[in-house]
Amino acid sequence: MKAVVAGAGAWGTAFACVLSARGHDVTLACRDAEQAREIAETGRNPRYLPDADLTGIEATTLDDPAIAGADLHVVAVPSTAFAEVVRGLPGAAPVLSLTKGLDPATGERLSTLVERRSVAVLSGPNFAEEIVDGLPAAAVIASENEALTLELQQAINSLAFRVYANDDPVGVELCAAAKNVMALAAGGVDGLGLGDNAKAALIARGLAEMARLGEACGARAETFSGMAGMGDLMVTCWSRHGRNRRAGELIARGMSPDDAAAEIGQVVEGLTTAPALRDLARRNGVELPITEAVCEVLNGASLNELVSGLMGRKPTDE
């Protein structure tokens, strides 16, 4: 398969390695010519995952007409750039979205922005740093097009990267977006030193929020107990690699959201997704207290007061 990975950040770089290891013809399409030149000349991506060996992977820019000849366009760009990048992709190849967020302009799922071509989404507990080290990982691919799902599963699955098929793209995308918001909250628990009991409780209630919103949007409940839901939520909330968890921790310790993102030096999707997720829930009449609290903190509210407010809510059934 001839695949173009649009987006040469950490996850795009790691996924290009996954495809290349499976023997596919891979091109990494960068947003600027200098990054493409550095990758082509050195076989490394000096900006992200510089230890990843990109030998055999071509590098070009997103505006290169040559990418029109791909059999698959993999999109691994921030949610803020997703719509623009997808609109600019030449040709009619299917799109596989790796982006975990919602469209900040409309609040819609990102796959709904892909027009006139088939689309699938991939998600799961997939930190790029571990992927390029060859550590075992698993993910799920979902699409309304069953043939595309199965074709991509066969093309990507390997001994190091196990791929499950799923027919619930709504649930998979909502899991991918919401888990970053919950990770911000989990980082806040870390930053305040509230302990593992509090963090585990928050994650459990966060998963309940995710499933509640998913059900209102037509997703299947079991998706939220799978790779895209529970799997990705756990690793994002606990791992030292988690940008969103780290951002929440820094904010809890007094940094502004902008300063926290600058300190991390990479995109923190939860900061963009939180208000979009809150608004989506409100449109569907779904109560998301953790998400609402995260948005209030991002707008300057006291985290300690919000913790007290969440703990002081009227007791209810699980």
Side-chain angles (χ1 to χ4, degrees), residues 14 21 25 74 77 100 113 174 193 195 232:
D25 180 357
V74 179
V77 299
K100 298 181 178 182
L113 306 180
L174 289 178
D232 205 4

Side-chain angles (χ1 to χ4, degrees), residues 169-181:
V170 175
V172 170
E173 278 193 287
L174 289 178
C175 284
K179 62 93 183 182
N180 284 327
V181 180

Side-chain angles (χ1 to χ4, degrees), residues 132-316:
V132 298
D133 285 342
L135 298 176
V140 61
I141 290 178
S143 174
E144 295 178 356
N145 183 335
E146 182 181 9
L148 177 62
T149 300
L150 296 177
E151 178 185 358
L152 292 176
Q153 180 187 36
Q154 292 299 316
I156 299 169
N157 186 73
S158 71
L159 291 176
F161 194 77
R162 182 169 174 80
V163 179
Y164 292 85
N166 186 300
D167 62 358
D168 181 22
V170 175
V172 170
E173 278 193 287
L174 289 178
C175 284
K179 62 93 183 182
N180 284 327
V181 180
M182 300 308 152
L184 286 172
V189 171
D190 290 339
L192 292 178
L194 299 181
D196 290 340
N197 289 339
K199 188 171 179 179
L202 179 132
I203 292 170
R205 296 313 303 161
L207 184 61
E209 280 197 14
M210 291 163 58
R212 196 158 59 238
L213 177 60
E215 182 181 8
C217 294
R220 293 205 321 265
E222 54 265 36
T223 298
F224 293 82
S225 62
M227 285 293 167
M230 183 184 296
D232 205 4
L233 179 64
M234 287 193 299
V235 76
T236 304
C237 290
W238 287 100
S239 174
R240 61 186 175 84
H241 296 304
R243 302 177 207 165
N244 292 278
R245 188 212 62 78
R246 178 62 175 156
E249 182 178 15
L250 292 173
I251 292 168
R253 291 179 176 175
M255 277 195 181
S256 70
D258 287 344
D259 287 344
E263 173 76 14
I264 291 166
Q266 298 186 54
V267 173
V268 180
E269 280 287 1
L271 299 177
T272 302
T273 300
L277 192 73
R278 174 201 60 199
D279 294 345
L280 176 63
R282 289 177 177 177
R283 291 197 300 272
N284 284 276
V286 179
E287 186 180 19
L288 302 185
I290 297 174
T291 301
E292 293 277 359
V294 167
C295 290
E296 291 185 41
V297 170
L298 296 181
N299 288 329
S302 165
L303 183 53
N304 281 305
E305 290 180 9
L306 286 168
V307 170
S308 298
L310 288 172
M311 292 296 291
R313 285 165 55 85
K314 182 180 178 180
T316 184

Side-chain angles (χ1 to χ4, degrees), residues 78-93:
S79 58
T80 53
F82 188 92
E84 177 187 358
V85 168
V86 166
R87 282 196 301 266
L89 291 174

